[in-house]
């Protein structure tokens, strides 16, 4: 039932502006195109949209078709490009949805953390007083939950530097915390006397 010469002749007529030739070419190829798209996409709800895009693209690209060559392989090339475009678009859409869901989860988690952080205002104040390089790694590691490797990549510094900065920051925070507790204890002792 495949008539390569007739398909090529119809394509030439479509190029010349014949709407009847386009309709006939469509009727001759729709079953093969639809079956191919349906098999490769798997989503019956999107198949019609992709097939429609294929025929729009076929019409737009027909000027690039060499009428001395078989038409169906050329059309299958259009089909495959449109399927790839659909899959890429779908993949990007899925990634955006996952990213939005992740961001919603983070927003929810973050609001809970804000309550926790308000109760730790002295600790926050201590972190804010750290030198920038130390504050940077503390915020990335403990607030944003980056791994040490991710921090190294983000800041463009060696992993060992990240580890030493975290250690230095924690040491400073502990010493500040200890001195605040000692100071607070001495002040409370004065009030009791």
């Amino acid at each position: 039932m495949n008539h390569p010469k007739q398909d090529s002749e119809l394509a030439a007529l479509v190029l010349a502006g014949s709407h009847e030739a386009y309709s006939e070419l469509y009727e001759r190829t729709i079953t093969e195109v639809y079956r191919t798209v349906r098999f490769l996409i798997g989503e019956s709800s999107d198949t019609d949209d992709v097939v429609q895009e294929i025929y729009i693209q076929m019409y737009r690209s027909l000027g690039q078709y060499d009428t001395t060559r078989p038409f169906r392989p050329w059309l299958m090339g259009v089909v495959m490009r449109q399927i790839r475009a659909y899959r890429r678009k779908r993949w990007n859409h899925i990634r955006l949805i996952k990213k939005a869901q992740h961001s919603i989860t983070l927003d929810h988690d973050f609001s809970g953390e804000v309550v926790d952080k308000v109760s730790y205002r002295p600790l926050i104040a201590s972190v804010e007083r750290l030198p920038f390089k130390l504050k940077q790694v503390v915020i990335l590691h403990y607030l944003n939950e980056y791994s040490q490797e991710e921090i190294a990549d983000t800041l463009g510094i060696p992993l060992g530097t990240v580890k030493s900065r975290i250690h230095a920051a924690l040491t400073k925070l502990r010493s500040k915390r200890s001195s605040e507790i000692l100071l607070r204890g001495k002040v409370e002792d004065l009030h009791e006397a």
Side-chain angles (χ1 to χ4, degrees):
M1 193 140 201
N2 190 357
H3 307 287
K5 186 165 173 83
Q6 289 179 345
D7 291 341
S8 298
E9 290 169 356
L10 286 172
L13 290 172
V14 172
L15 279 171
S18 171
H19 295 292
E20 295 81 20
Y22 180 80
S23 295
E24 189 175 340
L25 193 57
Y26 175 86
E27 291 302 322
R28 292 170 63 98
T29 58
I30 187 63
T31 303
E32 183 180 349
V33 168
Y34 190 88
R35 186 176 46 234
T36 302
V37 171
R38 178 72 176 95
F39 179 74
L40 291 174
I41 286 183
E43 295 288 328
S44 60
S45 60
D46 294 336
T47 300
D48 291 336
D49 293 337
V50 174
V51 168
Q52 181 179 357
E53 285 298 318
I54 287 168
Y55 280 97
I56 290 170
Q57 190 59 43
M58 179 196 80
Y59 186 77
R60 289 179 181 158
S61 302
L62 212 46
Q64 299 168 3
Y65 167 63
D66 178 2
T67 54
T68 62
R69 302 188 64 109
F71 178 75
R72 300 242 175 167
W74 178 84
L75 177 59
M76 278 300 124
V78 173
V79 169
M80 294 305 152
R81 284 188 296 278
Q82 289 302 312
I83 289 172
R84 277 194 302 272
Y86 163 80
R87 290 171 54 92
R88 191 170 38 252
K89 183 177 172 183
R90 184 172 170 213
W91 174 246
N92 286 334
H93 180 71
I94 290 169
R95 283 181 38 211
L96 285 173
I97 288 172
K98 285 183 179 181
K99 194 174 192 179
Q101 289 171 341
H102 183 36
S103 131
I104 288 168
T105 303
L106 287 179
D107 287 347
H108 174 66
D109 290 343
F110 182 72
S111 64
E113 288 175 1
V114 168
V115 172
D116 291 342
K117 285 172 184 49
V118 168
S119 63
Y120 293 110
R121 282 198 176 159
L123 179 61
I124 292 172
S126 296
V127 170
E128 287 176 352
R129 286 191 297 267
L130 286 173
F132 180 75
K133 289 181 178 181
L134 301 182
K135 181 169 43 171
Q136 204 175 28
V137 294
V138 167
I139 288 172
L140 288 173
H141 190 62
Y142 294 103
L143 179 67
N144 296 331
E145 298 179 358
Y146 278 42
S147 70
Q148 293 176 353
E149 292 80 11
E150 290 171 324
I151 295 170
D153 287 342
T154 301
L155 299 178
I157 58 177
L159 180 60
T161 304
V162 172
K163 290 178 180 183
S164 66
R165 286 183 185 176
I166 289 174
H167 178 73
L170 292 177
T171 302
K172 282 188 182 242
L173 288 172
R174 285 184 191 118
S175 68
K176 285 181 183 181
R177 187 78 177 144
S178 304
S179 62
E180 286 174 3
I181 290 171
L182 284 174
L183 238 161
R184 194 176 314 132
K186 289 180 181 178
V187 170
E188 289 171 359
D189 288 344
L190 287 174
H191 288 290
E192 290 178 5

